[in-house]
Amino acid sequence: CDDLPVFGAYHSAVFDHSTSRVTLFGGQCCVNGPYEYYNDVHVLHFDPDEDVEGWVPVPVKGIAPAARAQHCAVLVGDQMVVYGGANATRQFNDVWSLDLRHFSWQELRPVCGTAPPVELGLREQHFRVKSCRSILALHQMKLLVLGAARGNAAPKRYGLYVFDLERREWKTAPVVPQGLW
């Protein structure tokens, strides 16, 4: 992976129309060995007036999220908001914000509510990827997370969860017992 300008796969990216930039975070790569996980940030500029070509690594400020892949991201104003993902030994259900003006990280710790369930003790499996990717959407200032814990001991637990970015609280969305059609 050392010869690639941007490493591997299963990273997240957002496009900011106001700056004509794509910001990419994290990911994983495997070449003849165990998976490597990343928590670095790269930017791709689309503005023809800027004299920058290709992906550029960006130094970030603050404590960064743990290296991970299979996470999700959305653009909220000038913030890249990242949810979840996993590395070789752990699945995550945390929420982070990267300020795209200053490239500084902040963990958005919940003040109440229960985050989506995750499997905390994963076994590393070389050359085999088990998906733990959640689906993420933004509605007003709320993250909608559709996800499931993965693991062998229990069946997958799917659910729809809402993280209010302003109140920093998790809620479980109500489940309709039967189809609506």
Side-chain angles (χ1 to χ4, degrees):
C1 294
D2 293 337
D3 58 341
L4 300 174
V6 174
F7 299 128
Y10 296 113
H11 44 259
S12 61
V14 296
F15 178 70
D16 185 346
H17 289 278
S18 68
T19 61
S20 298
R21 294 189 308 204
V22 174
T23 303
L24 181 139
F25 166 69
Q28 71 185 43
C29 185
C30 178
V31 178
N32 299 322
Y35 283 98
E36 297 175 35
Y37 293 85
Y38 305 100
N39 68 348
D40 49 355
V41 174
H42 290 79
V43 170
L44 180 63
H45 298 264
F46 283 100
D47 188 342
D49 296 332
E50 291 192 43
D51 193 26
V52 180
E53 289 187 28
W55 290 99
V56 178
V58 178
V60 295
K61 300 171 190 159
I63 297 171
R68 64 188 66 204
Q70 299 190 44
H71 49 283
C72 305
V74 293
L75 183 68
V76 181
D78 57 5
Q79 309 283 316
M80 178 182 191
V81 177
V82 176
Y83 167 78
N87 60 27
T89 59
R90 183 162 190 263
Q91 188 178 359
F92 300 98
N93 61 358
D94 50 359
V95 180
W96 290 81
S97 176
L98 177 64
D99 182 320
L100 298 179
R101 291 171 297 146
H102 304 104
F103 289 97
S104 58
W105 282 108
Q106 177 184 11
E107 184 174 6
L108 303 179
R109 292 182 181 268
V111 294
C112 66
T114 302
V118 295
E119 174 113 4
L120 297 176
L122 300 180
R123 276 191 356 253
E124 185 171 4
Q125 297 182 351
H126 302 306
F127 305 110
R128 187 167 175 218
V129 176
K130 282 188 171 180
S131 179
C132 66
R133 182 177 292 270
S134 298
I135 297 171
L136 182 67
L138 178 69
H139 177 67
Q140 298 171 350
M141 287 299 288
K142 294 176 176 65
L143 297 179
L144 305 175
V145 177
L146 177 63
R150 69 179 206 195
N152 298 330
K156 285 188 175 184
R157 297 167 289 175
Y158 291 97
L160 180 62
Y161 302 85
V162 179
F163 184 72
D164 188 315
L165 291 167
E166 293 171 334
R167 294 181 178 180
R168 292 195 185 178
E169 65 183 16
W170 281 106
K171 291 186 179 179
T172 304
V175 177
V176 177
Q178 296 179 353
L180 298 176
W181 54 89

